[in-house]
Amino acid sequence: MIYRNIAVISMLFSTAVFADTGHLPAQGEKDGCLTWDCQQMLTIKHGIGQGDKTWLPAWQHLQQQADQALQHQPWSVTDKKLLPASGNKHDYYSFGPYWWPNPDTKNHLPYIRKDGQINPSSKTDDTDSKRLVQFSDDVRALSLAAFYSADARYAQKAEVMLNTWFLKKETRMNPNLSYAQAIPGVVDGRGIGIIDTRVLIDVADSIMLLQHAGYLSEKDVQGYKNWYATYTTWLLNSSNGQEEGNWYNNHGAWYDAQVTAFSLFSGDIKQARRQIDIFKYRHLAAQVNVKGEMTAELERTRTFHYTNFALAAYAKMGRYGEKVGDDVWNFELDGRTMKPAFALVSQQTGKPASDWKYQEIKYVPEEATGPMLAAARAWKDDSFRNSADQLVKENPTDINILTPGSVLVK
């Protein structure tokens, strides 16, 4: 393959900078990026080149991650030690993270649930959950490092990893999640496990970034798009997918984000528009009350975490609305809109855990960094800008600083 210099990507993102208003114009379906705002990324790239300390700590941290990724072997679902109920190593397999061995039975079955307490055994190499995250983290770091540094080594490593995960016959993942978040002694897989593949949104963003810089063949890109299209069809038509799409909490929002992102990536704009409407009327209007509380997330033991986690999905849906000319950021129904939900978190910025009036067993204030950066970008209110500035100052290496338009809350 003949690789072009990744610097030519700047020619592909020539859309005008957003007007300084509360309403964002559509960037268009073919502006070169999916979730990431590549126009703003070009500004960041220029700042890094000029040694701007605003971006330098985050860039140096990202580069360290990318350098580590260069040393990793390509990830594959076929490397797991345990098998799903299908007996096929190509099928993704994971355990429910909050489920633990039953202390009251000899064989520890069926597992029991402890909300907010992650069972370490659910995050080992025995299954695929940890491996999928490692794959997506590496591909994201490598593609972003290639963009910000113009170093082809990063892009070439990302290409190998992508080919191994999606295309290579011996190692590829089957495009379904029938055996995700299984509960030993209870069920072989659940719709709720579909949230695991939210990280594939970043992978799709990475593919688009690398494609436009000439680092991926058109044949391979079409192969990736076909994989995503097949997976989206499974999401829409399988019983697990339909179950997940009906959830009233962050799971429903993340389902919407996945279907919308994957539809946009694979070229099904009609389905993307349809899913955006479903998000607005079924999930946004039902999940956020007039005070900005995400009521389903406030039922949890980690309410601050799950509020921000849900807002990460909301921010992505706001971004996808930009792509198709639908102002999701300012959509309102019966006094319900997403802005007050972001404002609720903004009001907590800089305050101790005791000021958050809902239950939170592990307060991590930096989890608000991504949502506040997204809110500042969308509405340009001083309150959001101040919150974002403070969180960036406190967390200067946060990946969200380098990926405007997208929000990462793990």
Side-chain angles (χ1 to χ4, degrees):
M1 184 184 302
I2 298 175
Y3 295 110
R4 295 183 292 166
N5 190 310
I6 202 163
V8 303
I9 199 169
S10 61
M11 299 169 57
L12 299 165
F13 309 122
S14 57
T15 54
V17 178
F18 290 136
D20 192 10
T21 69
H23 296 265
L24 299 176
Q27 286 198 329
E29 296 164 4
K30 300 187 181 299
D31 66 355
C33 278
L34 179 61
T35 322
W36 297 337
D37 184 336
C38 287
Q39 182 66 36
Q40 290 193 12
M41 287 171 65
L42 285 170
T43 300
I44 295 171
K45 180 181 173 72
H46 177 75
I48 290 172
Q50 297 298 312
D52 189 331
K53 293 183 179 179
T54 303
W55 321 108
L56 206 55
W59 160 235
Q60 290 174 339
H61 184 64
L62 171 69
Q63 194 171 31
Q64 290 174 359
Q65 292 178 317
D67 287 341
Q68 291 172 359
L70 287 174
Q71 308 305 315
H72 294 163
Q73 293 296 315
W75 307 101
S76 168
V77 291
T78 59
D79 291 334
K80 57 178 166 286
K81 297 177 182 178
L82 301 179
L83 288 176
S86 66
N88 188 342
K89 277 198 171 186
H90 292 274
D91 287 330
Y92 178 91
Y93 183 41
S94 66
F95 291 154
Y98 299 143
W99 292 83
W100 293 72
N102 191 331
D104 298 325
T105 61
K106 186 175 181 179
N107 64 357
H108 303 302
L109 299 177
Y111 273 31
I112 59 173
R113 190 170 190 269
K114 299 181 181 180
D115 187 37
Q117 301 179 48
I118 295 177
N119 180 350
S121 67
S122 70
K123 305 296 181 182
T124 70
D125 289 333
D126 289 349
T127 58
D128 292 316
S129 176
K130 178 182 177 182
R131 187 174 293 102
L132 176 60
V133 172
Q134 290 169 321
F135 163 69
S136 63
D137 283 353
D138 277 359
V139 169
R140 182 184 60 236
L142 289 164
S143 64
L144 289 171
F147 172 76
Y148 283 120
S149 71
D151 188 333
R153 294 177 306 147
Y154 298 125
Q156 291 162 3
K157 183 69 174 186
E159 179 187 22
V160 173
M161 289 192 170
L162 289 165
N163 190 275
T164 300
W165 191 275
F166 292 115
L167 301 182
K168 192 175 179 181
K169 182 178 179 181
E170 297 80 9
T171 57
R172 71 189 296 269
M173 173 185 164
N174 289 334
N176 72 77
L177 242 65
S178 298
Y179 307 101
Q181 289 205 18
I183 304 173
V186 180
V187 66
D188 293 332
R190 299 179 293 160
I192 203 171
I194 287 170
I195 203 166
D196 287 4
T197 48
R198 70 189 183 279
V199 298
L200 291 183
I201 296 175
D202 277 354
V203 174
D205 276 297
S206 299
I207 292 170
M208 292 191 72
L209 198 64
L210 295 170
Q211 175 192 12
H212 289 298
Y215 284 100
L216 301 176
S217 71
E218 290 304 314
K219 179 181 178 181
D220 283 356
V221 170
Q222 190 57 54
Y224 301 138
K225 290 183 177 181
N226 290 343
W227 190 98
Y228 274 84
T230 302
Y231 181 51
T232 305
T233 298
W234 181 87
L235 287 174
L236 292 168
N237 296 300
S238 66
S239 58
N240 280 5
Q242 292 171 5
E243 174 189 330
E244 182 73 343
N246 285 324
W247 270 96
Y248 58 89
N249 60 5
N250 65 80
H251 279 265
W254 276 111
Y255 176 87
D256 293 335
Q258 290 188 64
V259 171
T260 307
F262 302 161
S263 296
L264 287 170
F265 175 64
S266 60
D268 191 346
I269 308 304
K270 182 178 179 180
Q271 177 59 47
R273 292 179 182 276
R274 178 177 180 274
Q275 203 66 39
I276 288 171
D277 279 341
I278 290 173
F279 168 74
K280 291 188 301 183
Y281 292 100
R282 181 189 296 177
H283 289 139
L284 193 163
Q287 291 173 345
V288 181
N289 66 22
V290 293
K291 295 186 292 184
E293 296 171 323
M294 307 185 86
T295 52
E297 313 311 329
L298 300 183
E299 299 171 355
R300 308 296 295 272
T301 60
R302 297 199 58 203
T303 58
F304 186 75
H305 164 75
Y306 276 108
T307 293
N308 282 288
F309 184 57
L311 289 177
Y314 277 50
K316 282 180 167 59
M317 294 305 294
R319 169 64 174 149
Y320 302 143
E322 295 171 21
K323 301 287 293 182
V324 302
D326 189 339
D327 189 5
V328 176
W329 294 108
N330 297 292
F331 169 80
E332 182 176 347
L333 181 67
D334 296 332
R336 295 167 181 254
T337 183
M338 71 164 74
K339 187 175 181 180
F342 284 87
L344 189 69
V345 172
S346 179
Q347 294 160 11
Q348 176 65 20
T349 302
K351 297 178 181 178
S354 57
D355 279 24
W356 181 254
K357 62 181 182 178
Y358 314 99
Q359 184 179 11
E360 177 55 66
I361 62 176
K362 186 182 178 182
Y363 182 62
V364 183
E366 68 190 61
E367 290 187 313
T369 305
M372 290 303 95
L373 283 167
R377 175 185 173 277
W379 291 292
K380 307 194 187 320
D381 289 0
D382 286 342
S383 59
F384 289 135
R385 283 171 167 159
N386 293 337
S387 294
D389 288 346
Q390 181 172 343
L391 286 163
V392 167
K393 184 177 180 180
E394 294 171 356
N395 308 285
T397 64
D398 195 297
I399 185 66
N400 289 285
I401 296 169
L402 300 176
T403 57
S406 183
V407 176
L408 179 67
V409 177
K410 289 190 174 181

